Amino acid sequence: MSEGTVAIASDHAGPSMKEALKAVLKERGFEVLDLGTHGEESVDYPDYGKAVGEAVTSGRAKLGVV
């Protein structure tokens, strides 16, 4: 049974923590929409927060974590 979709994202300082969170969410039955970033190249955090917020407000995800 799926618990719903969770959109997740991080800036360049958090990809490893994001991957750990993704694993825990999947173990608990959530689908995960990973919106980045996927590396340690410098990025702007607000861009990823906006992407998660838009995923939640559009209904693509039930919850979001940034």
Side-chain angles (χ1 to χ4, degrees):
M1 176 173 112
S2 174
E3 294 292 335
T5 301
V6 178
I8 63 173
S10 70
D11 67 1
H12 55 279
S16 60
M17 186 180 298
K18 180 177 59 82
E19 290 301 317
L21 174 61
K22 186 164 51 170
V24 170
L25 289 170
K26 287 181 176 184
E27 286 175 9
R28 295 189 179 191
F30 290 93
E31 292 183 42
V32 177
L33 178 59
D34 185 345
L35 299 175
T37 189
H38 303 289
E40 295 181 4
E41 184 175 318
S42 184
V43 296
D44 291 327
Y45 182 83
D47 294 338
Y48 293 89
K50 179 181 178 188
V52 169
E54 288 174 346
V56 173
T57 59
S58 72
R60 289 175 49 213
K62 183 177 181 179
L63 302 168
V65 179
V66 183

